[in-house]
């Protein structure tokens, strides 16, 4: 079965610094825009929830038809947002934790400017491999 998944990392200033369509469903440009719109609309809900809980993994914060928005918030208030149609909370949590490890490695790179776009092809390859593994 083809799965739909769109992954975005949003900086604490609400600027998207990484985006990827990581699902196995066929890629369509109009769906990519719809996915971005759904994730952008969920940012307000995420901002409110992030200040009311100590948990980093916020599970599903928003729904659109059969798609669910799950969010992981880092200590620096960077949001990892995943729009998906799967139901495996454990797999999604593991995906977020491993992507967080990758993000920390990028963040600790002295040549990376915090808040700028992540353009590393190595990071992109690893995120897509993790998506295939867990989603």
């Amino acid at each position: 079965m083809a799965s739909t998944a769109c992954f975005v990392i949003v900086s604490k200033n609400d600027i998207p610094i990484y985006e990827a369509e990581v699902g196995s469903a066929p890629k369509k440009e109009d769906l990519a825009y719809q996915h971005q719109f759904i994730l952008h609309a969920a940012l307000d809900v995420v901002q409110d929830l992030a200040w009311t809980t100590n948990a980093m993994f916020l599970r599903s914060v928003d729904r659109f038809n059969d798609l669910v928005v799950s969010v992981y918030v880092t200590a620096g208030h960077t949001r990892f947002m995943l729009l998906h149609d799967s139901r495996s909370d454990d797999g999604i949590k593991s995906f977020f934790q491993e992507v967080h490890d990758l993000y920390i490695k990028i963040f600790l790179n002295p040549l990376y400017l915090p808040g700028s776009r992540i353009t590393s092809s190595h990071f992109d390859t690893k995120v897509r491999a993790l998506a295939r593994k867990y989603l």
Side-chain angles (χ1 to χ4, degrees):
M1 181 178 162
S3 66
T4 300
C6 179
F7 177 65
V8 175
I9 299 177
V10 181
S11 72
K12 65 180 180 180
N13 299 324
D14 294 336
I15 298 168
I17 59 175
Y18 176 78
E19 299 177 49
E21 290 282 335
V22 293
S24 60
K27 312 287 188 274
K28 296 181 182 171
E29 190 171 336
D30 57 333
L31 284 180
Y33 292 129
Q34 182 183 27
H35 294 166
Q36 290 174 0
F37 181 77
I38 295 166
L39 288 168
H40 181 76
L43 274 174
D44 291 334
V45 176
V46 172
Q47 189 170 359
D48 293 341
L49 281 175
W51 291 105
T52 61
T53 184
N54 290 332
M56 294 177 95
F57 179 51
L58 301 181
R59 299 195 190 273
S60 61
V61 296
D62 200 3
R63 293 187 182 278
F64 180 80
N65 294 338
D66 61 341
L67 299 175
V68 180
V69 177
S70 294
V71 178
Y72 183 94
V73 181
T74 68
H77 296 287
T78 299
R79 278 80 38 110
F80 298 170
M81 302 180 73
L82 179 68
L83 179 68
H84 59 93
D85 57 5
S86 65
R87 301 284 177 241
S88 171
D89 276 349
D90 292 333
I92 293 168
K93 184 176 182 178
S94 297
F95 170 75
F96 279 140
Q97 289 171 336
E98 291 202 29
V99 170
H100 188 206
D101 289 343
L102 291 173
Y103 176 72
I104 289 171
K105 289 176 184 175
I106 290 285
F107 197 77
L108 292 177
N109 182 343
L111 300 176
Y112 175 72
L113 180 64
S116 63
R117 289 195 66 81
I118 298 173
T119 57
S120 168
S121 60
H122 178 71
F123 181 83
D124 185 58
T125 304
K126 291 282 193 177
V127 168
R128 291 178 190 279
L130 289 171
R132 280 191 301 277
K133 181 178 177 182
Y134 291 113
L135 304 180

